[in-house]
Amino acid sequence: MNRRKFLKSTALAAAAPLIITNFKVFGADAPSNKLNLALIGTWGRGEAHFDALATQNVVALCDVNDDHLAFGQKRFPGAKTYIDWRKLLDDHQALGLDGVLIATTDFTHAFAANWALNRGLHVYCEKPLANTVEEARVVRANYLSKKTKLATQVGMQRHAFQNFNRVRELIRDGAIGELSAAYAWGNRQLRRPGYLPAQGEPPANLHYDLWLGPAPFHPYNPGYFSGGPGANCLQWNMYWDFGNGQIGDMGSHTMDLLWNAVDAGLPTTAEAKGEAFNPDISPVTLETHFDHPANSWRGPIRVGWYQGGAMPASPRDTIDLNKIDHGAMFKGSKGYLIAGFENRILVPFGDDADLTYYKPRAKSDVLPPLGGFQEEWFNACKGSLKTSCDFNYSGLMIEQMILGLVAYRAGQKIEYDGAAGRVTNVADANQYLSRRYREGWTLNG
Ligand SMILES: NC(=O)c1ccc[n+]([C@@H]2O[C@H](COP(=O)([O-])OP(=O)(O)OC[C@H]3O[C@@H](n4cnc5c(N)ncnc54)[C@H](O)[C@@H]3O)[C@@H](O)[C@H]2O)c1
């Protein structure tokens, strides 16, 4: 029995407290029942994963900043270190790797994720999964072709809040009648002047060329690196070549609250309204709208995303949606449901909004808690293959979000053929579906 098969068999038998195989005894935490994992990005958001990773074997670490690598090494002294994630992935067999956790810059996510999948590795990737429509489609298709063997998860860990299930249940069980529209918003506003001017040489501990990776060249400026741990992403994510602003930032988390409840695929249209286009910086104030076809349990719906001060209208003068920094609202034939990440308000309206039309589900049918978000991925790697934010769910979600930016850049409503991945009514808009990368960098290598 090889190691992978062994892990799978032990995971399937996870209900049993003790597992006896080939005359060896393995408890749930026996070393042989642990995954061999690599962490790419060992500081900042990477650190938030240290405790969860410490329950497994961390065999390799990678960071483009020597000091950050040393920080990771302090916690995982036995791990082999790398500054180039491509080299780490090349060594996957020698390392006996089962999977990787990617906590690097947004513009490297789809690259590292594809490369890892192509080497037969399970992947946990921080949000957002992709920076372009093309990246989202390539990494999703790659995962779908391997989903019977590999487990994926995108770092939208708020998904484990019980409220996500409660919102889904209320919508599915008809608490607001027939769903017709859903809106999500975020109020974070990061204004940036434009790409930062050249300022000095990169410090010796930073491998700046590797940091740039696939992104077009921009000269070094310490401003891109001046944020605290876990918040440094806010120093680079507003620049088009490095991120998608709030869509990749809080948008991934907040749209997840909506996405989890509407069971949507790709939209058929996208339109956008926002501040004037800036070639350096993604927009702060923006709203985007999408048409989604009917599915098996609801009719067609409109989905809206609002950011940086743009907001959907409140259904009641007495309810100030601005008090919810990042939230979602669902409109149905009988009322509204308004939700933050951890709470919700039901707002029935009209003469027949007496709630008699709504039958809450039995306690026994209430969706079970997800448990630990990283643990869900560990168990999936060990055999269950089931995660709540896999690359299909998360890939469709981020492709929709980015289509809003495509419409914004096209300056008009676009019609989208989700099967082909093409804008059908504005030929010019197709140029915004992908980006050019620096020579030597391959998205799906
Ligand atoms: N899920 C969440 O709640 C959450 C919270 C914060 C950040 N994030 C996401 O995590 C990611 C990292 O954010 P951050 O604020 O920690 O950013 P950061 O700029 O601090 O980068 C994190 C680490 O990755 C390293 N790094 C950057 N590029 C690398 C590369 N090509 N190869 C190896 N290492 C590289 C950096 O040196 C740093 O140590 C972003 O994608 C961000 O969107 C998610």
Side-chain angles (χ1 to χ4, degrees):
M1 193 187 256
N2 69 26
R3 197 169 165 283
R4 276 275 169 95
K5 279 198 186 128
F6 167 72
L7 284 175
K8 194 167 178 172
S9 71
T10 54
L12 290 174
L18 205 66
I19 299 148
I20 301 174
T21 314
N22 291 346
F23 309 106
K24 285 187 190 162
V25 181
F26 299 95
D29 289 327
S32 46
N33 190 29
K34 292 182 179 180
L35 298 161
N36 288 342
L37 299 177
L39 173 63
I40 309 179
T42 61
W43 179 84
R45 184 62 194 163
E47 188 191 358
H49 296 288
F50 280 7
D51 287 348
L53 285 171
T55 65
Q56 308 299 314
N57 297 323
V58 176
V59 297
L61 299 169
C62 172
D63 204 292
V64 294
N65 183 317
D66 294 335
D67 294 350
H68 294 175
L69 197 52
F71 179 79
Q73 247 187 317
K74 241 192 222 154
R75 180 69 190 263
F76 302 107
K80 191 162 178 205
T81 56
Y82 296 81
I83 57 168
D84 185 337
W85 55 261
R86 295 169 301 182
K87 298 257 160 51
L88 182 157
L89 293 179
D90 279 348
D91 284 354
H92 72 97
Q93 276 167 334
L95 292 164
L97 264 192
D98 294 307
V100 293
L101 193 154
I102 301 162
T104 55
T105 46
D106 298 9
F107 57 94
T108 53
H109 287 178
F111 279 75
N114 272 317
W115 283 55
L117 289 174
N118 289 338
R119 282 151 189 78
L121 301 173
H122 305 289
V123 186
Y124 183 116
C125 184
E126 266 306 337
K127 40 63 46 179
L129 179 58
N131 254 5
T132 67
V133 165
E134 181 191 35
E135 289 175 7
R137 293 180 72 85
V138 169
V139 75
R140 182 168 68 90
N142 197 357
Y143 162 64
L144 287 175
S145 72
K146 301 177 171 77
K147 70 175 188 166
T148 54
K149 291 196 189 97
L150 296 180
T152 58
Q153 181 90 299
V154 173
M156 308 189 298
Q157 72 285 349
R158 286 174 177 79
H159 201 98
F161 291 153
Q162 301 262 29
N163 186 48
F164 276 59
N165 278 343
R166 299 297 83 78
V167 167
R168 178 176 171 80
E169 289 159 354
L170 284 165
I171 301 297
R172 287 301 312 268
D173 298 349
I176 57 168
E178 281 278 309
L179 183 70
S180 60
Y183 322 85
W185 66 88
N187 68 0
R188 190 173 270 175
Q189 301 188 20
L190 303 170
R191 297 228 168 254
R192 304 288 179 228
Y195 286 110
L196 301 173
Q199 193 182 315
E201 289 297 313
N205 59 302
L206 176 65
H207 303 272
Y208 185 62
D209 193 64
L210 285 175
W211 184 82
L212 279 174
F217 181 81
H218 293 279
Y220 171 76
N221 185 299
Y224 295 130
F225 304 91
S226 57
N232 191 57
C233 46
L234 308 184
Q235 302 305 314
W236 44 255
N237 70 11
M238 289 304 292
Y239 302 94
W240 284 115
D241 285 338
F242 303 145
N244 273 333
Q246 283 313 300
I247 281 175
D249 185 16
M250 286 306 292
S252 289
H253 293 300
T254 320
M255 184 54 74
D256 180 24
L257 180 60
L258 181 160
W259 202 243
N260 183 51
V262 299
D263 292 341
L266 290 168
T268 52
T269 71
E271 55 196 303
K273 195 163 78 175
E275 61 196 42
F277 174 75
N278 179 325
D280 289 5
I281 314 286
S282 69
V284 172
T285 307
L286 178 75
E287 62 179 87
T288 57
H289 299 274
F290 311 94
D291 283 305
H292 283 276
N295 67 15
S296 60
W297 60 265
R298 56 154 176 79
I301 56 168
R302 290 273 285 169
V303 169
W305 164 246
Y306 299 74
Q307 67 180 46
M311 285 294 289
S314 174
R316 289 276 179 276
D317 291 348
T318 46
I319 300 174
D320 183 359
L321 297 182
N322 292 297
K323 295 248 164 79
I324 307 173
D325 295 350
H326 302 278
M329 180 166 74
F330 301 84
K331 180 184 182 189
S333 54
K334 308 265 190 207
Y336 286 81
L337 178 68
I338 300 168
F341 286 124
E342 295 189 83
N343 46 48
R344 60 212 169 266
I345 313 166
L346 193 57
V347 189
F349 60 53
D351 289 343
D352 63 348
D354 51 15
L355 289 174
T356 52
Y357 57 86
Y358 163 57
K359 303 272 172 277
R361 64 181 61 194
K363 192 92 182 154
S364 54
D365 294 334
V366 166
L367 297 169
L370 185 150
F373 192 70
Q374 292 103 332
E375 287 73 16
E376 191 189 39
W377 178 66
F378 297 153
N379 289 332
C381 300
K382 290 178 186 177
S384 81
L385 291 176
K386 207 191 133 2
T387 51
S388 45
C389 296
D390 64 26
F391 285 6
N392 185 42
Y393 171 90
S394 313
L396 290 167
M397 185 194 89
I398 199 68
E399 182 171 346
Q400 175 208 243
M401 292 285 270
I402 300 170
L403 281 167
L405 286 174
V406 172
Y408 167 72
R409 297 191 68 178
Q412 57 185 298
K413 181 172 180 171
I414 58 172
E415 282 162 24
Y416 190 59
D417 175 349
R422 301 298 289 170
V423 177
T424 53
N425 64 328
V426 189
D428 216 32
N430 285 301
Q431 67 183 300
Y432 306 124
L433 300 177
S434 57
R435 291 182 186 181
R436 265 212 218 120
Y437 302 118
R438 269 204 310 164
E439 225 181 290
W441 288 86
T442 311
L443 173 61
N444 200 9

